[in-house]
Amino acid sequence: MQRSLVVTGKGPEVVDTQGDFAGEGDTLIEVSHSSVNYKDAMALTGDRGVLRTLPLVPGIDAVGTLDDGTLVCVNGRGLGERRHGGYTPRLRIDAQDITRVPSRFTAFDAAAIGTAGYTAALSVAGLERAAFEVDGAVLDGPVLVTGATGGVGSIAVQLLAARGHEVWAVTGRVEEHGAWLRELGASEVLDRAEFEGKGKPLKKARLAGVVDTVGSTVLANALSQLRWGGVATACGMAAGNDLPASVLPFILRGVQLVGVNSVDTPNALRDEAWGVLDESLHTDAIRTEQVGLDGVVEAGRRLLVGEGSGRVVVTL
């Protein structure tokens, strides 16, 4: 009997797979892998801000094959939130919501990339697109990546460095992870404490760009350090969904803030992001841990308390 992980009113449990766990859609995917993202970790606690209904199979990523053997993935699209997600071996979804995985990636690679890597690529593509629109050139100066040891942040560091950008990585665990972040391509590793707490509306302009994964005061302080025409992307809110910032960076320095929504991104931008991954991602650089369904809950717990780093791949 095949097994699935489902969250009920009593919490998460691994159970025999039921037919309705596959959901509805015109295309069937035989799921081989998923991953554990921050949103999945929240769902495993029963967080109703993520889970719109119960019982529900979590897993905002699904990687598997079509009936002709084509390797595909689904990132977001309401999986694990509005409908059953990737922690089950069969998934039905409309063909328009499926992404074909570039040929150089394996199923394990695609799951290691997952929503985190895809979001990192969306952020990098959005950053480069906005910067090009300002002066038709690449970003002139360092790009700051916050939450750099997380799934999104660590892949963003590697992608940016591979694409020729100077990268400054921000982490609350400099001594523990500083060497790893430099291996990924960061030229500077900064302590998160420099960006916490209320700061001045404008600080020394030293950044060309920001890829922010945490929000709140960290993003506000990063915005205040952008140079004229600098660009920041925002894709996460682990530190809070508030933004205690001033309009001064936008008015006096002409900076831009680009939002990144990985769940509902149109197909053209999804394809652009996977193109960035295909061009620039070194899969060996992704720090991965592999678990089965019985290891998902513990992996989610560690992610929520800040003990995890890199990516957790779930093999069904």
Side-chain angles (χ1 to χ4, degrees):
M1 173 66 75
Q2 293 180 312
R3 305 282 278 174
S4 303
L5 192 155
V6 63
V7 176
T8 69
K10 298 180 180 180
E13 57 181 322
V14 178
V15 301
D16 290 342
T17 299
Q18 300 177 19
D20 63 351
F21 288 171
E24 298 181 355
D26 59 27
T27 304
L28 176 66
I29 301 173
E30 297 289 345
V31 180
S32 62
H33 296 81
S34 184
S35 66
V36 183
N37 299 277
Y38 195 85
K39 190 177 287 185
D40 298 319
M42 294 172 65
L44 292 165
T45 70
D47 190 318
R48 296 310 297 268
V50 176
L51 299 173
R52 308 301 170 84
T53 184
L54 287 176
L56 198 73
V57 175
I60 64 175
D61 292 325
V63 178
T65 54
L66 303 180
D67 57 8
D68 65 358
T70 301
L71 182 63
V72 299
C73 67
V74 182
N75 306 118
R77 303 293 197 187
L79 295 186
E81 297 182 79
R82 302 188 295 267
R83 55 162 294 160
H84 291 309
Y87 298 160
T88 193
R90 305 185 88 200
L91 177 71
R92 288 194 175 277
I93 194 166
D94 290 341
Q96 66 185 17
D97 294 333
I98 295 172
T99 298
R100 278 154 178 77
V101 176
S103 60
R104 78 177 181 94
F105 298 131
T106 65
F108 184 92
D109 292 337
I113 292 167
T115 286
Y118 151 66
T119 301
L122 283 174
S123 300
V124 171
L127 189 78
E128 292 180 340
R129 189 187 319 113
F132 185 84
E133 290 173 354
V134 170
D135 59 11
V138 297
L139 294 159
D140 183 19
V143 178
L144 188 80
V145 179
T146 68
T149 60
V152 178
S154 60
I155 295 176
V157 169
Q158 193 271 300
L159 288 174
L160 287 163
R163 296 171 76 81
H165 302 293
E166 179 184 355
V167 184
W168 292 3
V170 177
T171 177
R173 297 176 287 175
V174 174
E175 291 186 4
E176 182 179 357
H177 294 302
W180 173 50
L181 291 170
R182 291 183 185 277
E183 288 175 7
L184 290 176
S187 61
E188 299 286 343
V189 180
L190 307 179
D191 195 315
R192 186 176 61 206
E194 295 182 34
F195 296 86
E196 295 177 330
K198 185 177 180 180
K200 296 179 180 179
L202 283 178
K203 297 183 179 179
K204 181 180 178 181
R206 59 177 183 160
L207 303 174
V210 176
V211 171
D212 177 67
T213 72
V214 298
S216 194
T217 54
V218 174
L219 175 56
N221 283 312
L223 286 169
S224 72
Q225 298 178 49
L226 280 169
R227 297 175 179 175
W228 199 99
V231 180
T233 64
C235 67
M237 50 185 178
N241 62 7
D242 59 325
L243 183 59
S246 165
V247 298
L248 290 183
F250 302 97
I251 295 173
L252 299 183
R253 293 180 180 167
V255 308
Q256 301 180 66
L257 179 59
V258 178
V260 175
N261 171 6
S262 62
V263 176
D264 302 312
T265 300
N267 287 339
L269 295 182
R270 287 175 182 264
D271 291 343
E272 181 185 23
W274 276 95
V276 168
L277 291 164
D278 196 15
E279 292 172 4
S280 305
L281 182 65
H282 303 314
T283 55
D284 290 344
I286 305 176
R287 179 180 286 180
T288 57
E289 172 189 357
Q290 185 174 191
V291 300
L293 288 177
D294 57 355
V296 168
V297 172
E298 172 59 17
R301 184 200 66 78
R302 286 189 281 107
L303 188 58
L304 288 179
V305 299
E307 294 178 356
S309 62
R311 298 283 291 141
V312 178
V313 174
V314 181
T315 301
L316 276 72

